[in-house]
Amino acid sequence: MYSTTEENYLKTIYKLQAQLGTFINTNAIADGVNTKAASVTDMVKKLSEKKLLSYEKYKGVQLTEKGKKVAVETLRKHRLWETFLHNQLGFTWDAVHDIAEQLEHIQSNELVEKLDAFLGFPSHDPHGDPIPGRNGVIKESNFILLSVLKKGEKGIISGVVNHSSLFLQHLEKNKLTLGKTITITEVSSFDLSMAALLEGKEKIQLSNEVVKNILIKKLA
Amino acid sequence: MYSTTEENYLKTIYKLQAQLGTFINTNAIADGVNTKAASVTDMVKKLSEKKLLSYEKYKGVQLTEKGKKVAVETLRKHRLWETFLHNQLGFTWDAVHDIAEQLEHIQSNELVEKLDAFLGFPSHDPHGDPIPGRNGVIKESNFILLSVLKKGEKGIISGVVNHSSLFLQHLEKNKLTLGKTITITEVSSFDLSMAALLEGKEKIQLSNEVVKNILIKKLA
DNA sequence: CTAATTTTTTAGACTAGCCTAAAAATATTT
DNA sequence: AAATATTTTTAGGCTAGTCTAAAAAATTAG
Ligand SMILES: [Mn+2]
Ligand SMILES: [Mn+2]
Ligand SMILES: [Mn+2]
Ligand SMILES: [Mn+2]
């Protein structure tokens, strides 16, 4: 139905819209899809022709409902494939993204639904991001930043803010993976770094840069 | 490394070469990749530039070792994905091909190897076709046509000659699926149709058109 | 409020793949 | 061996997506 390129544009605009507000400018899109602004202007005109977004010269771009639907479906596929790669094939969570970038463009509704069922209808991908349902609904999770925890409080690692390979590999190396319990034992008022217990036993030290990029589900 | 289109050309030429001999002509390729002869001439020149095949005007085309390698890798991916779709996701054997046509072009060696392991290093795909190994070696299976069996002989359904959806759906409907045992009880000398027992119990009648498109492993 | 800077759009050109129609080569009949 | 039919190649052109350089609009600074 839609080309790989079109889906990538829509997904990128969708994400930008979620984080920056309504009108998305050319440069931001160019950055997201890894092209030049001139190419974006071209493509945006075509997507506008197809009623996937509304475009006003020099003003920016906004997805239509139709465009949003395609974007969310692509996001759903991306996150389901990431889950497959991690949970079934054993890829580490920093390795799944690039392959899912390709897999998300495979066209077959039946495949998506069968994959979803096969995975047990997962609610979140390996980075803790919510997986949109078949209906397109995204259940926003109420995860909070690890950095807001106070001494004595604890939570379960449930996601990341920073998705870079570098960060994910750092977490992997330090066994800070999804599902692990962290208990804060000390917060430095100097550099905001935290001392904590991993799974209630192992003592670890976490920089502020790290803790403000980890999402947790707080435990009572 | 190579585009979807290039991989499709190479795979098609490889198959034609296996079944028709060495030099493959333009029209056969055009047919296989679903384009026009003029387009094939164009593409074949490019593939020749890249040393994936040798091409002589008006004479035809022949894969180089390099080209064969790419073709076999693509075939390997195709058949592994078909196996995944059938064995893990529960697709019927007539539905897997079209989706595998897309999946075979996903680029990631690690993915192929992990998928292979996940599937338990299968030797054959859901149509009974051998899956090339990581090394590129294809173990030819010694299956024979069901049509050569004589009264009283039996075998296990192990593959198909005709891969069309129509035929596969016909088999599916009649429960003639991979792994089932067939015992010949009668061969009509009039139309060569066969009477047989499925799994030693159910009586079935099979036209010659059907039995000459089923591959079996003969049982002692 | 004008001038300088930044952002966006236009213009023109490129590549991968594809197509049709015509020309050239090869194969088949007579 | 010539005539006819078939196959293959060339020529020219199209679309999707990309790029660079220049022009135009919008924003920011003085
Ligand atoms: Mn991702
Ligand atoms: Mn993710
Ligand atoms: Mn197939
Ligand atoms: Mn197959």
Side-chain angles (χ1 to χ4, degrees), chain B residues 17-217:
Chain B
Q17 226 168 288
Q19 99 188 49
L20 301 176
T22 48
F23 280 90
I24 304 305
N25 57 326
T26 307
N27 267 342
I29 300 171
D31 210 69
V33 298
N34 242 293
T35 38
K36 298 300 162 71
S39 308
V40 171
T41 303
D42 266 13
M43 178 55 89
V44 140
K45 282 179 188 167
K46 289 177 201 163
L47 295 175
S48 171
E49 282 299 309
K50 297 187 182 181
K51 309 282 182 206
L52 292 161
L53 49 79
S54 65
Y55 164 58
E56 223 177 316
K57 264 191 189 178
Y58 295 103
K59 265 197 141 179
V61 127
Q62 216 175 344
L63 291 187
T64 60
E65 281 309 311
K66 192 179 167 194
K68 252 178 230 168
K69 192 162 166 251
V70 177
V72 171
E73 272 166 16
T74 307
L75 209 57
R76 168 167 160 79
K77 289 192 276 177
H78 182 97
R79 292 179 179 168
L80 283 173
W81 280 116
E82 282 192 345
T83 304
F84 169 72
L85 293 171
H86 182 71
N87 293 5
Q88 310 295 323
L89 297 194
F91 277 93
T92 54
W93 65 354
D94 61 290
V96 299
H97 181 79
D98 288 347
I99 302 176
E101 266 320 299
Q102 299 179 63
L103 285 164
E104 71 188 2
H105 304 293
I106 302 292
Q107 311 221 276
S108 165
N109 292 328
E110 212 184 338
L111 175 57
V112 182
E113 300 321 320
K114 286 217 153 92
L115 182 64
D116 194 15
F118 180 68
L119 299 172
F121 305 102
S123 60
H124 293 80
D125 81 3
H127 309 108
D129 294 314
I131 299 175
R134 185 176 38 252
N135 46 26
V137 174
I138 305 178
K139 267 219 302 279
E140 280 313 327
S141 20
N142 52 348
F143 301 146
I144 58 174
L145 290 180
L146 175 52
S147 55
V148 310
L149 284 203
K150 297 190 174 50
K151 182 173 172 173
E153 296 182 320
K154 58 183 173 178
I156 297 173
I157 300 181
S158 303
V160 292
V161 179
N162 179 340
H163 282 62
S164 75
S165 281
L166 217 63
F167 179 59
L168 293 172
Q169 277 163 21
H170 176 81
L171 295 183
E172 186 81 28
K173 192 160 21 176
N174 292 89
K175 294 178 183 151
L176 295 162
T177 51
L178 235 59
K180 292 280 181 69
T181 301
I182 286 197
T183 315
I184 304 302
T185 54
E186 196 70 54
V187 180
S188 158
S189 48
F190 167 61
D191 63 1
L192 301 176
S193 70
M194 291 173 150
L197 282 179
L198 193 55
E199 296 288 60
K201 6 185 218 288
E202 202 179 337
K203 276 186 199 166
I204 50 173
Q205 191 66 31
L206 303 165
S207 74
N208 179 251
E209 195 54 35
V210 164
V211 296
K212 75 183 185 198
N213 276 301
I214 294 179
L215 292 166
I216 57 143
K217 179 159 32 179

Side-chain angles (χ1 to χ4, degrees), chain A residues 49-105:
Chain A
E49 282 299 311
K50 297 187 183 182
K51 308 284 183 207
L52 291 161
L53 49 78
S54 66
Y55 164 59
E56 223 176 316
K57 261 191 192 178
Y58 294 103
K59 263 196 141 178
V61 127
Q62 216 175 345
L63 292 187
T64 61
E65 281 309 311
K66 192 178 166 196
K68 251 179 232 168
K69 192 161 165 254
V70 177
V72 171
E73 271 165 18
T74 307
L75 210 55
R76 169 169 159 79
K77 288 192 277 178
H78 182 97
R79 292 178 180 167
L80 283 173
W81 279 117
E82 282 192 345
T83 304
F84 169 71
L85 294 171
H86 182 71
N87 293 5
Q88 311 293 323
L89 296 195
F91 277 94
T92 55
W93 65 352
D94 62 289
V96 299
H97 181 78
D98 288 348
I99 302 176
E101 269 316 303
Q102 300 180 61
L103 286 164
E104 72 188 1
H105 304 293

